Amino acid sequence: MTELVLVDFDDTLVETAPAFHRAREALFTRLAEEGFPTEESHRVHHEEVEPEFLTLFGMGPFRLEHSFRETYVRLCTAHGRSQSAAVAETCGNLGKDFMGHPEVMEGAMGALERLAGRYPTVIFSQASHREYQLGRIRDAGVTGIVDEERIRVTHRKTRETFLEAVRHFTSSEPRHTVMVGNSLRSDINPALEAGAQAILVEPYEMWHYDNVPPVSTGFLRFTTFPEAVAHLLENGA
């Protein structure tokens, strides 16, 4: 029996990955104009810089200005080239202020309203800047459906932070909780590791950071959040 549903925000209810993707593609285009091979730019950014800057700045857009600039710096160092302050600034600026107003996915708010009308529902989001993320959640219209006290923003989703959220909102065992989200790393695996149920809303394109194997196959997959909600309303889990 389902007694609590946790719902992810970014790329489950609103489109976030496309904005990140556009910003990164603009960076790689600019680096190519400087003569750096795109494959090398991808490798340096994805495999060297991003893991370090995720640790330093956490999830969300605030690291991008720094990681974009650092990608250029490291490429210059690798090629024995002098850095241009102007190019470094241009790269950094590509990572600033690109998010804009959150773009709600088609049918997502209606589905969330139907879900919250049936089950106790919590928005469980991941971000390094809580107030910034809460602002985006408000702007998307979520707080008109789910009360703000039922929104939980954590710095990093793990088994432990998932269990903390479950224990805060229900006295039931984790097996009676369902996590709905788009990330194998951040939504599905923590829930499965905690003994909860999980539903993957399959992303249009898997972010390299999220491209990890699931800890088990014991979860469901749907193309969209409304499809996942329809299943929950009809079957419970």
Side-chain angles (χ1 to χ4, degrees):
M1 181 177 178
T2 299
E3 298 187 11
L4 181 68
V5 180
L6 273 59
V7 178
D8 176 50
F9 179 69
D10 287 301
D11 292 310
T12 299
L13 300 179
V14 300
E15 289 188 355
T16 302
F20 278 90
H21 180 73
R22 288 192 296 269
R24 290 192 179 97
E25 287 306 306
L27 171 68
F28 298 140
T29 297
R30 185 67 184 86
L31 293 172
E33 292 170 357
E34 290 299 311
F36 297 114
T38 299
E39 184 176 340
E40 183 180 9
S41 297
H42 276 245
R43 181 187 60 76
V44 170
H45 180 73
H46 292 325
E47 298 178 17
E48 296 181 16
V49 176
E50 274 283 81
E52 294 180 22
F53 280 67
L54 277 166
T55 300
L56 288 172
F57 295 98
M59 294 290 184
F62 295 98
R63 74 181 186 280
L64 293 194
E65 176 185 358
H66 308 286
S67 69
F68 281 19
R69 184 182 293 111
E70 180 64 16
T71 299
Y72 167 69
V73 168
R74 294 197 187 185
L75 286 167
C76 286
T77 300
H79 286 261
R81 289 174 45 175
S82 298
Q83 300 166 27
S84 162
V87 174
E89 183 70 11
T90 297
C91 290
N93 285 338
L94 290 172
K96 290 170 63 175
D97 301 326
F98 68 92
M99 295 294 289
H101 192 280
E103 185 175 345
V104 177
M105 291 182 168
E106 184 177 356
M109 290 301 116
L112 181 64
E113 188 169 14
R114 292 191 295 275
L115 179 68
R118 173 76 68 84
Y119 297 110
T121 300
V122 169
I123 303 300
F124 186 42
S125 184
Q126 174 174 270
S128 55
H129 294 75
R130 183 176 185 276
E131 289 306 315
Y132 171 82
Q133 188 71 345
L134 280 174
R136 296 184 67 237
I137 291 170
R138 294 185 193 109
D139 287 347
V142 170
T143 52
I145 300 170
V146 177
D147 291 340
E148 197 156 313
E149 59 265 24
R150 298 187 68 80
I151 296 171
R152 193 171 185 90
V153 179
T154 185
H155 181 74
R156 188 67 61 89
K157 288 179 179 175
T158 64
R159 175 184 180 275
E160 289 70 28
T161 59
F162 178 86
L163 284 172
E164 287 172 5
V166 171
R167 290 165 183 156
H168 181 80
F169 291 105
T170 182
S171 59
S172 299
E173 293 295 318
R175 60 192 173 89
H176 296 301
T177 295
V178 180
M179 178 71 217
V180 184
N182 74 295
S183 170
L184 286 170
R185 180 190 289 273
S186 300
D187 298 316
I188 304 307
N189 283 351
L192 294 176
E193 289 166 350
Q197 302 170 72
I199 297 176
L200 178 68
V201 177
E202 296 187 290
Y204 86 107
E205 182 178 343
M206 184 73 72
W207 178 31
H208 69 281
Y209 178 78
D210 282 335
N211 194 16
V212 298
V215 296
S216 80
T217 59
F219 63 96
L220 300 174
R221 296 173 181 259
F222 293 95
T223 304
T224 68
F225 177 67
E227 290 174 352
V229 169
H231 171 83
L232 280 169
L233 295 180
E234 183 175 346
N235 301 289

